[in-house]
Amino acid sequence: MNAFDPVLKPLEWSELDERAVKAIKALAADAVEKVGNGHPGTAISLAPAAYLLFQKAMRHDPSDPEWLGRDRFVLSAGHSSLTIYLQLFLAGYGLEMDDIAALRTWGSKTPGHPEYRHTTGVEITTGPLGQGLASAVGMAMASRRERGMLDPAAAPGESPFDHHVYVIASDGDLQEGVTSEASSLAGHQQLGNLILIWDDNKISIEDDTNIAFTEDVLKRYEAYGWHTQRVDWTSGGDGYAEDTDTLAAALDAAKAETGKPSIIALRTIIGWPAPTKQNTGGIHGSAMGTDEVKGLKSALGLDPEASFAIDPEVLSYTRSVAERQGAQRQAWESAFTAWSEQNPQNAALLARLRAHELPDGWTGSLPEFEASEKGVATRAASGKVLSALADVLPELWGGSADLAGSNNTTMDGVPSFVPTEHATKKFPGDPYGRTLHFGIREHGMGSILNGIVLHGLTRPYGGTFLQFADYMRASVRLASLMGIPTTFVWTHDSIGLGEDGPTHQPVEHLASLRAIPNLDVVRPADANETAWAWRGILENRDNPAGLVLTRQNVPTYPRGTDGFGAAEGTLKGGYTLLDTEGTPDVVLVGTGSEVQLAVEARKILAADGVQARVVSMPSREWFDKQDDAYRESVIPSGVKARVSVEAGVAQGWREVVGDAGRIVSLEHYGASADYKTLYAEYGITAEAVAQAAKESIEAAS
């Protein structure tokens, strides 16, 4: 149990609470009816449960939505957006009746699915089913990591950094594979601060879920290592009573179980007590119709002709929730003040983390790599960067989806984040460790990373092969939509992967990821670009980044000598790596491992009297953010002869090279062979780049 939690036993449930719940049900029906579309049924039947959470069980303060000590709430069933909007309205988070009436309309605070940073009190954009629950696992992991950083010696439940993550999920959430991945990991991690209410109403868009979903969910979650409970408001099908006392007792039992995450299967009837559409797919995702709305209100004992109505006395009561939790807030504040005084260094760290600032001089820890023709793989360089930053950036933590040795995502000497009994000889660790092991769960990893970022204080990263970014696309897209700085590390970035063959060799992935708005795709050319890429990623908090790294060695260029430009140009997204005297005849643009081909092609062209500028463009997105003058200085508009080279599909490069330009690319899948053979066989060579340059010069003349 937590020392600062509101008391649920005995549950104080008055006539005002009953009236509030009835008002929620009517308002849910009114809002969907007004706009003509939406999801009223779940918001109606879950009204007592959501109200119990926001008014009785959760620790929060509407006047301080970013309060460090708050519990987190995730509506994984995001289609039932009214479930959270109505609670935010009642509690006083800034939503008013006009906002409820503006549901799903242009410019409203109440869009079809709750959106992070759009509506105060919404902690996450869930959208696709399953993402919310999976990300909530990340929030629970972040909470434990943050406690371990800041207050590891406190007794369980006594730290101001102890709180719960509450989730409401639907049948649909539990059918999505991403929740299986994340829930399995949550049980393994023994996340006792995670509490899930599953709305077991057995209805989805296709009506009765018996058509597709008949497993015993609680047995599955028991096998995952969760604490399981069932609350049946249907009394086994013999009636219906919204028994908030029993649900409150289940929540208390979930809080008491600190060694396992908890799931409460809440058996409800969707849309209850609507007269004819309750317990049907028709009330799941459609407006109810005028007569049905009136019938619902009559069944609730409300005026069937009144719309968007709530008694001022009820609203005054619900908006006093922070006042009613005043004793708990004061106890938390006292504990937090005492912690701050006793732990001044950690208090200073917390202040920096809350301000989202990096420490002074941190860039001095970034390694510099000596020039080398043999070079190193950029994945290896990335691993050295992470290890170098371990001491200076305690907020930086991460791991991989069972590919630690391949992704180089493990900081040297850093313990794993894992219950002590699950630590291994190779990976010693403890519950407050730092190296993450996601298992072979790429989709779950992406969602969990988002949840860690949203929790607020740390900077996580997670690695896998670039090919498997396909499994992560939904979570990558949501990170981009929310504008949060999740870092995805994708290695083995091309046919350079070699012998594993076409199933593991990404071809279309760079173009596909660049198509995601607000995602920075960063593919450094050598070790020093990799260090600068990490700097650029960590200095940015406005959106996510995908760091794309090689398996094979690439040359480390002699920066500042032999004509090579400084690797600092990486921060611009594109820069002149090697220049010519005067205006170049052709501009050669490369990314990642193919930059070396442009460098070699420049020599071939020089022997024929052709002057070529080599541009390294690790990030198209960063380059596009530069001003016109800078971009003109790198790729002059007057030089129409241009060549791009990248071991992937050509899509997206025409806008860089122009009509007269040429694109050296790969328009088919790879094969199983060593990478040098593959590059030669597929014509991705310095000679091919030089020939393309000559063709482009001719086309531009």
Side-chain angles (χ1 to χ4, degrees):
M1 301 295 285
N2 196 292
F4 316 112
D5 280 351
V7 177
L8 280 178
K9 187 177 182 179
L11 177 64
E12 295 184 3
W13 193 268
S14 69
E15 184 247 353
L16 283 173
D17 296 312
E18 288 291 341
R19 288 162 62 190
V21 169
K22 289 179 179 181
I24 295 168
K25 290 174 178 278
L27 288 171
D30 285 338
V32 174
E33 197 66 23
K34 182 175 183 293
V35 72
N37 56 79
H39 297 78
T42 300
I44 292 170
S45 50
L46 277 186
Y51 182 86
L52 176 65
L53 286 178
F54 273 81
Q55 290 289 323
K56 309 291 181 178
M58 282 170 46
R59 186 201 321 161
H60 65 117
D61 185 348
S63 69
D64 188 5
E66 299 298 319
W67 174 33
L68 190 67
R70 73 191 185 281
D71 290 328
R72 306 304 201 269
F73 175 75
V74 175
L75 181 65
S76 197
H79 57 277
S80 183
S81 55
L82 283 162
T83 294
I84 187 170
Y85 292 153
L86 289 165
Q87 297 309 321
L88 298 177
F89 162 65
L90 289 183
Y93 275 88
L95 291 184
E96 300 298 341
M97 190 67 82
D98 287 346
D99 298 307
I100 302 301
L103 177 74
R104 298 169 72 95
T105 60
W106 175 262
S108 77
K109 296 180 182 178
T110 49
H113 289 73
E115 296 177 21
Y116 175 64
R117 290 191 179 130
H118 184 85
T119 308
T120 301
V122 171
E123 302 272 9
I124 179 175
T125 302
T126 50
L129 288 172
Q131 290 293 324
L133 172 52
S135 290
V137 173
M139 291 182 180
M141 291 168 66
S143 176
R144 192 171 87 196
R145 168 65 187 159
E146 291 168 12
R147 187 199 204 274
M149 289 171 55
L150 299 167
D151 196 20
E158 298 294 327
S159 171
F161 302 101
D162 289 331
H163 60 264
H164 289 97
V165 179
Y166 292 93
V167 186
I168 286 180
S170 64
D171 288 310
D173 288 293
L174 297 192
Q175 292 175 59
E176 290 285 0
V178 67
T179 56
S180 296
E181 293 184 23
S183 297
S184 172
L185 187 59
H188 169 79
Q189 286 287 353
Q190 302 174 5
L191 299 176
N193 55 350
L194 178 62
I195 299 175
L196 164 63
I197 296 177
W198 164 39
D199 180 26
D200 180 17
N201 64 38
K202 302 190 185 304
I203 293 291
S204 62
I205 289 175
E206 293 187 359
D207 204 74
D208 193 327
T209 56
N210 275 333
I211 197 67
F213 185 51
T214 54
E215 69 194 43
D216 190 326
V217 171
L218 289 190
K219 284 186 178 178
R220 172 158 64 98
Y221 272 75
E222 182 181 358
Y224 287 152
W226 287 54
H227 175 241
T228 65
Q229 299 178 85
R230 184 175 296 281
V231 174
D232 187 356
W233 284 354
T234 73
S235 301
D238 295 331
Y240 199 74
E242 294 175 330
D243 184 354
T244 50
D245 285 290
T246 301
L247 181 55
L251 288 170
D252 263 340
K255 291 180 181 181
E257 175 50 79
T258 59
K260 296 180 179 180
S262 289
I263 179 172
I264 301 168
L266 177 62
R267 180 73 174 96
T268 65
I269 293 177
I270 191 170
W272 190 87
T276 69
K277 293 189 176 181
Q278 63 172 275
N279 205 31
T280 68
I283 204 170
H284 172 91
S286 304
M288 297 165 60
T290 302
D291 291 342
E292 190 76 5
V293 172
K294 289 182 178 180
L296 170 71
K297 292 175 181 176
S298 294
L300 293 168
L302 303 176
D303 181 354
E305 302 300 327
S307 295
F308 296 104
I310 190 168
D311 192 313
E313 181 186 13
V314 170
L315 191 59
S316 176
Y317 168 71
T318 61
R319 291 191 172 179
S320 69
V321 61
E323 180 182 335
R324 285 182 274 120
Q325 291 188 8
Q328 288 81 12
R329 176 68 186 255
Q330 182 56 52
W332 184 92
E333 294 289 354
S334 297
F336 181 74
T337 299
W339 170 84
S340 299
E341 292 172 350
Q342 295 163 13
N343 300 275
Q345 284 188 313
N346 283 354
L349 172 61
L350 174 61
R352 178 176 70 76
L353 297 180
R354 296 193 74 186
H356 302 309
E357 296 174 348
L358 295 166
D360 292 340
W362 76 275
T363 57
S365 296
L366 288 168
E368 293 185 13
F369 297 87
E370 292 184 0
S372 167
E373 279 293 323
K374 178 182 178 182
V376 296
T378 54
R379 61 170 175 151
S382 175
K384 292 183 183 298
V385 171
L386 291 172
S387 293
L389 293 177
D391 290 339
V392 70
L393 295 181
E395 66 266 38
L396 183 63
W397 63 314
S400 78
D402 199 56
L403 290 167
S406 294
N407 295 149
N408 296 100
T409 49
T410 302
M411 298 174 179
D412 292 340
V414 170
S416 292
F417 178 90
V418 66
T420 305
E421 62 265 38
H422 295 325
T424 66
K425 182 177 180 180
K426 183 172 182 177
F427 290 107
D430 59 71
Y432 295 151
R434 192 165 171 186
T435 297
L436 289 167
H437 302 273
F438 295 98
I440 307 167
R441 304 181 180 99
E442 293 90 354
H443 194 180
M445 176 177 71
S447 304
I448 288 167
L449 289 171
N450 288 344
I452 293 172
V453 173
L454 288 164
H455 198 264
L457 297 183
T458 63
R459 291 295 298 270
Y461 59 87
T464 188
F465 290 179
L466 179 58
Q467 167 66 36
F468 305 141
D470 284 344
Y471 283 145
M472 307 171 64
R473 193 171 184 88
S475 49
V476 173
R477 184 178 188 273
L478 279 176
S480 302
L481 193 156
M482 288 186 281
I484 59 174
T486 309
T487 302
F488 306 102
V489 179
W490 292 312
T491 69
H492 297 61
D493 65 351
S494 68
I495 56 171
L497 172 62
E499 290 84 351
D500 275 347
T503 61
H504 282 51
Q505 292 166 3
V507 175
E508 75 280 18
H509 295 69
L510 290 167
S512 141
L513 291 166
R514 288 177 183 136
I516 298 177
N518 210 34
L519 173 68
D520 293 340
V521 179
V522 189
R523 189 174 184 237
D526 75 347
N528 286 305
E529 278 195 11
T530 303
W532 281 96
W534 268 112
R535 174 173 175 170
I537 289 168
L538 292 172
E539 288 180 336
N540 174 39
R541 292 201 59 88
D542 295 333
N543 58 289
L547 183 59
V548 182
L549 305 169
T550 68
R551 176 201 186 198
Q552 74 276 26
N553 285 1
V554 291
T556 304
Y557 299 116
R559 303 295 178 162
T561 63
D562 299 334
F564 285 89
E568 183 177 356
T570 302
L571 298 181
K572 299 286 191 180
Y575 66 101
T576 300
L577 179 65
L578 284 167
D579 210 353
T580 63
E581 292 184 10
T583 302
D585 298 316
V586 63
V587 176
L588 310 178
V589 183
T591 76
S593 50
E594 287 72 68
V595 170
Q596 63 182 306
L597 303 181
V599 171
E600 291 302 312
R602 177 178 180 270
K603 296 177 183 176
I604 296 171
L605 291 168
D608 291 335
V610 177
Q611 295 195 84
R613 171 182 293 178
V614 175
V615 170
S616 178
M617 191 173 286
S619 176
R620 290 277 306 277
E621 294 76 21
W622 289 357
F623 187 68
D624 289 345
K625 290 176 183 177
Q626 307 309 312
D627 59 36
D628 291 343
Y630 177 78
R631 286 186 281 116
E632 174 71 17
S633 73
V634 176
I635 305 178
S637 56
V639 179
K640 302 297 183 184
R642 304 171 189 173
V643 177
S644 69
V645 54
E646 185 172 67
V649 298
Q651 184 174 331
W653 284 105
R654 180 58 58 190
E655 63 192 56
V656 174
V657 301
D659 292 341
R662 295 294 183 267
I663 301 171
V664 178
S665 62
L666 185 67
E667 302 302 320
H668 52 78
Y669 296 109
S672 180
D674 70 275
Y675 77 92
K676 292 182 180 179
T677 297
L678 291 175
Y679 273 86
E681 289 292 333
Y682 293 147
I684 305 177
T685 63
E687 291 76 15
V689 174
Q691 180 58 37
K694 293 175 181 178
E695 293 174 6
S696 182
I697 290 170
E698 183 177 353
S701 60

